[in-house]
Amino acid sequence: MGCGSSAAKNTPALLSPNKEKSQDRGLDETGSPLEDVDEKDNGNSNLSYKDPAELNNQETATSSKAFDESGKNRSSAIAQPGFPSISKPTSMHTTPLPHDWNSADHIAETCPILPGSPLPELVDFFNGSDLSDVLVARAIFRWITLNIRHETSFQVEDDGDFVLPEVVVTEGAAREEGYAALFAELCSRCHLQAHLVKGYVKDQDYVPGTDPSTTSERLSFWNVLVLQQGTFCVDCYRASGERLFNDFYWLPPASDIIYTHYTEVPEYQACTEFLSLDDWKILPKTWPSFHRYCCEMDGEVKSSFRADSESLLKIDFTIPDHIVCRSQIIRLKTMQKLPQSYSYVYQDREKCSLYSGYPNSGQYLLRLFGRPRDGHLEREMEDLVEVSVFVEKGRGQEALYPVVLNFYKRFLLFGPLIGQLVRNMPAYFHCKVLGASQVSVIVGEHTVPLKKISDDRNQLTKGKRPMLNSVRNQDTEDAAQAKPGAAGNKAIAGEVALKEAASALASAAIIAATKEELLESDIHTESKPPAFTDPDHDPPTTILVTPASPKTVSVPDSEVTSVWAGEAMISTKEVFLAAFYTDKIGYVKLVKFHSTLI
C-alpha cells in the first residue's frame, strides 16, 4: 500500500504488545490519557530562498527588461532562521498485504444484521464467514463504516471515556471513541488482536507546529490491529467520513499515518525509530491524498517555515507527473484567503516547487492541493499538505506571481515568474507548451505571437537548458557531416566554436537572437488582431482565431512539446499567455500576469 520508503534506520528495542484486555470490551490499558510532554526549545536551521527564474531558467531572469529596470533583484534574498526539521519516518513492517478486499467488502455490504440488532448476532455473522483473519477484520471495518453514523450528543459510560459497543450497534451512531471501541470489541470476539489507542490527531482544524497536548479537544481514538504481517493502524471514524468512504485509514503504512496520528506506545507507532511528541509536531500536516499519490517533501521535513528577508519562501516536493497542483495562502489571524497571485506552483515532471510571498507580517497557512490530470473537469482539487509560515515584515499589496488559469493543459512557464510587469516597457516571455500550434501574448486587443525555438517529442523534459543544449549539439553534428574536406573542417571548427560559445552564454544568446528575429519579422503587433475567445468558459460556434506567424507553422503532433519565446510591449493592467490548439476553437488562456506603472 505504500509508495516506497527511504533508507532504513536502526530499529530500537520495542516493548511486546500488551495483550491483556478488560473483561467486558476487549480494551487494553493504552486507553488511559497520555501525559503532557514539555515542548523543546526550537533550534535554528537555515532556509534560503532562490528565485524560480534563477533556479529553473536563469537566462530569463538576467534578460527580462521588465524586471531589471524595475530595480528588483530578488535572487539576493538573505536567509532567515528557520525551524527544526526531522528525517522522514520509515515503516518497520514491509510484508505485503492482500490487494483485493472485494470478498470482505461484499460480506459487509450484504450483511443482514443492521443497526438496531443485538451485538451477539453481528458477532455470530462474522464468525460464520469463510474468511481469513485479515479479511474478517476488513469486513468488520467495512460494516462499521457503512452502518455507523457520526454523532456528538450521545450516551456515554460513567467515566466519560468510551461509548459502549452494545449501544453503538443498537443506535447505529457513535462518537469517535465509540467507533474504536466497537471495532476492538468485534475483533476480540472474532479472536483477532485489536487494541484501542488514545492519542493525538492532526485534524482539519489543527494548526501545523502547535502543541496538541495543551487541549483535551485534540485527544482522539483509533485502533491498532496486530496481524502476522505486522502492526497496522485502523481508523473507522475517519474512514467513514461525512461524505465519502476513505480507504486510506485501513492498514496504512506506519510511515504515512504517523504524520497525522500520534501515540506514545512505540510498537503501536510501528516505525523504525520512535517519535516523541515534539518530533511529531515538526512533521507537516498531510492529508491521505498526499500519501496515496506518493508525494514527498524534499529537503527539510517540517511543519513551520519562516519567510526570508523579502517575505519570500520556496518549498520543494516530489510529486508524480500525473498530478497537477495548485496552492492557497490563508492569513491565520483572520482566516482570510489571499489572492492566487501570492503563490505559484512550478511543476516539471516529478519536480514541484511551491513559491510564495506575503503582503503583511504575521502567521500564515500555506496549502498545496492536487488532483490527477484525467480530464474530468468536475473533479475537485484534493488537500495534500499544509504548513505554517511566519513573516516578520510583509511586502505590501503588490501581486507577486502569475496566475494559472488552466490546470488541464501541459505547459511550463520559464519567465516572467516573479514581480509585476512594467507598463510601457517590453517584457520577455519564455515557455514550453505541449500540443500547441501557436503560443501568443494577449495585450488588450493585440495578439503578439511568440517565436518557436524548438520541438521536443519527449513531452515535458526536465529543465530547459539540457533540451536546448541537445538541440545545439545536434546542429553541430549535422554541420560536421555536411562539410567534408580541409576547408570544410575549418568552417566546422569555426561553427562549432561559435555554437559552444552560444551554449556557454545560455539564454542570453538565445534571447538576443530570438528578439532580433522578432524585430526583423515585425510581428510585435498586428494591424488587425484576431478576436480572443476562451472556449473553456464561452465556446463559440465558429472558429474566430487563426494563429499568426511570420512563417508557416505546421500543426504539431499532440505529443510534441514546443519551446516558445518572444517579447511584447506591456500596455494594459492584465496580460495573458495563451495557446492555440487544433482541437480547440480559438486561443486558450493559460496564465494571467499583472502589470504596474513605475
Side-chain angles (χ1 to χ4, degrees):
M1 293 179 65
C3 304
S5 60
S6 57
K9 304 175 184 178
N10 295 330
T11 304
L14 298 179
L15 302 175
S16 59
N18 187 347
K19 300 181 181 180
E20 297 180 1
K21 304 175 183 178
S22 66
Q23 298 178 354
D24 297 329
R25 295 172 293 164
L27 306 177
D28 66 10
E29 60 186 15
T30 59
S32 59
L34 297 176
E35 297 180 0
D36 292 344
V37 180
D38 294 332
E39 185 177 358
K40 294 180 181 178
D41 294 334
N42 287 338
N44 290 329
S45 61
N46 291 328
L47 175 67
S48 60
Y49 172 86
K50 291 188 177 180
D51 192 333
E54 179 185 356
L55 284 172
N56 303 316
N57 186 28
Q58 296 181 3
E59 301 90 337
T60 303
T62 58
S63 63
S64 175
K65 294 182 179 180
F67 296 157
D68 292 346
E69 297 184 32
S70 66
K72 298 178 180 179
N73 182 11
R74 308 189 191 282
S75 62
S76 60
I78 302 175
Q80 295 292 327
F83 292 88
S85 61
I86 64 174
S87 57
K88 298 180 179 68
T90 56
S91 298
M92 181 187 306
H93 306 290
T94 58
T95 306
L97 289 164
H99 292 286
D100 186 4
W101 306 107
N102 291 334
S103 59
D105 291 349
H106 178 72
I107 292 293
E109 292 166 0
T110 59
C111 176
I113 312 301
L114 300 176
S117 305
L119 180 63
E121 292 185 10
L122 188 60
V123 174
D124 293 339
F125 173 80
F126 289 122
N127 279 327
S129 62
D130 188 18
L131 297 174
S132 63
D133 287 351
V134 64
L135 291 180
V136 170
R138 168 71 181 196
I140 293 173
F141 166 79
R142 197 68 186 99
W143 187 92
I144 293 175
T145 58
L146 283 169
N147 294 282
I148 307 300
R149 69 179 186 275
H150 290 193
E151 183 62 62
T152 55
S153 57
F154 197 68
Q155 177 183 348
V156 296
E157 207 178 12
D158 294 339
D159 60 8
D161 283 340
F162 305 107
V163 175
L164 293 172
E166 294 82 358
V167 179
V168 173
V169 174
T170 301
E171 299 294 333
R175 291 206 303 253
E176 186 176 343
E177 59 268 38
Y179 279 84
L182 177 58
F183 182 83
E185 178 69 10
L186 289 174
C187 286
S188 176
R189 296 195 185 192
C190 292
H191 314 289
L192 301 172
Q193 187 180 349
H195 303 280
L196 189 146
V197 180
K198 191 174 185 179
Y200 300 108
V201 172
K202 297 176 182 176
D203 54 16
Q204 184 72 27
D205 299 328
Y206 173 78
V207 177
T210 58
D211 188 350
S213 64
T214 57
T215 172
S216 60
E217 296 178 356
R218 295 296 179 197
L219 289 175
S220 299
F221 300 83
W222 64 95
N223 298 100
V224 165
L225 181 63
V226 181
L227 302 170
Q228 291 182 349
Q229 293 89 347
T231 302
F232 300 92
C233 170
V234 177
D235 193 336
C236 299
Y237 177 78
R238 288 170 178 81
S240 62
E242 297 180 358
R243 294 186 301 173
L244 299 174
F245 169 68
N246 195 332
D247 206 28
F248 170 79
Y249 295 104
W250 166 250
L251 312 187
S255 56
D256 293 346
I257 199 65
I258 191 62
Y259 279 79
T260 55
H261 290 57
Y262 179 80
T263 174
E264 284 190 331
V265 183
E267 62 268 26
Y268 293 167
Q269 288 188 7
C271 291
T272 57
E273 185 171 310
F274 174 74
L275 264 70
S276 67
L277 184 60
D278 285 338
D279 290 337
W280 181 72
K281 291 187 303 182
I282 296 174
L283 291 174
K285 176 181 171 181
T286 62
W287 275 268
S289 297
F290 184 84
H291 306 286
R292 185 169 63 250
Y293 295 145
C294 301
C295 306
E296 291 186 2
M297 178 180 285
D298 298 337
E300 296 179 309
V301 179
K302 54 187 180 180
S303 59
S304 300
F305 293 81
R306 193 179 301 279
D308 66 11
S309 60
E310 294 192 7
S311 302
L312 300 175
L313 178 66
K314 170 181 174 289
I315 306 176
D316 292 325
F317 297 90
T318 297
I319 295 179
D321 183 52
H322 71 281
I323 303 299
V324 59
C325 297
R326 64 179 301 179
S327 56
Q328 182 183 83
I329 302 177
I330 298 178
R331 184 173 176 83
L332 185 60
K333 184 177 180 180
T334 60
M335 295 306 294
Q336 175 188 5
K337 296 179 181 179
L338 269 62
Q340 288 295 320
S341 58
Y342 284 97
S343 62
Y344 184 81
V345 180
Y346 178 92
Q347 286 186 269
D348 188 357
R349 289 196 176 181
E350 294 187 351
K351 176 185 177 182
C352 177
S353 297
L354 174 54
Y355 299 96
S356 57
Y358 303 87
N360 307 107
S361 60
Q363 184 177 358
Y364 294 83
L365 299 177
L366 177 59
R367 294 175 176 173
L368 184 66
F369 305 88
R371 48 148 291 181
R373 303 178 189 265
D374 53 10
H376 296 291
L377 303 183
E378 67 277 5
R379 176 179 288 189
E380 296 180 356
M381 285 282 183
E382 303 173 54
D383 295 277
L384 296 180
V385 62
E386 177 180 294
V387 297
S388 292
V389 179
F390 294 86
V391 181
E392 294 183 359
K393 183 180 180 180
R395 307 180 54 86
Q397 301 302 318
E398 102 178 73
L400 286 170
Y401 302 99
V403 178
V404 177
L405 301 178
N406 193 307
F407 291 93
Y408 313 108
K409 295 298 184 182
R410 300 295 300 272
F411 67 93
L412 286 176
L413 177 64
F414 297 125
L417 280 181
I418 294 185
Q420 297 186 21
L421 306 180
V422 180
R423 250 171 280 176
N424 301 322
M425 293 185 63
Y428 188 77
F429 296 85
H430 198 177
C431 62
K432 183 189 293 186
V433 184
L434 173 65
S437 59
Q438 179 65 54
V439 177
S440 301
V441 178
I442 308 297
V443 185
E445 297 180 353
H446 299 285
T447 301
V448 184
L450 299 183
K451 176 78 173 180
K452 182 192 289 188
I453 296 179
S454 63
D455 284 335
D456 177 15
R457 293 186 175 270
N458 295 322
Q459 296 189 5
L460 298 180
T461 58
K462 290 187 177 180
K464 161 182 165 291
R465 188 186 301 243
M467 182 276 305
L468 290 177
N469 286 342
S470 65
V471 173
R472 289 178 174 275
N473 293 336
Q474 184 63 45
D475 292 341
T476 302
E477 294 174 4
D478 294 342
Q481 295 177 1
K483 296 181 179 181
N489 291 336
K490 184 176 180 180
I492 292 172
E495 185 170 351
V496 170
L498 288 175
K499 296 202 173 195
E500 288 179 349
S503 179
L505 292 175
S507 168
I510 300 173
I511 291 170
T514 305
K515 289 182 179 179
E516 184 177 353
E517 292 178 6
L518 290 172
L519 290 172
E520 290 176 355
S521 58
D522 193 22
I523 61 170
H524 283 277
T525 58
E526 300 174 359
S527 57
K528 296 182 180 180
F532 181 85
T533 60
D534 189 348
D536 289 341
H537 299 282
D538 186 16
T541 56
T542 58
I543 297 179
L544 301 178
V545 179
T546 302
S549 174
K551 300 178 182 179
T552 301
V553 179
S554 60
V555 178
D557 235 356
S558 60
E559 297 297 319
V560 175
T561 301
S562 301
V563 179
W564 304 83
E567 192 177 76
M569 183 65 68
I570 307 303
S571 59
T572 58
K573 185 176 181 180
E574 293 182 346
V575 177
F576 299 92
L577 182 69
F580 186 90
Y581 301 90
T582 56
D583 61 342
K584 292 287 184 179
I585 301 177
Y587 277 99
V588 176
K589 292 180 181 178
L590 301 178
V591 183
K592 178 174 69 175
F593 302 87
H594 296 87
S595 67
T596 184
L597 290 170
I598 296 180

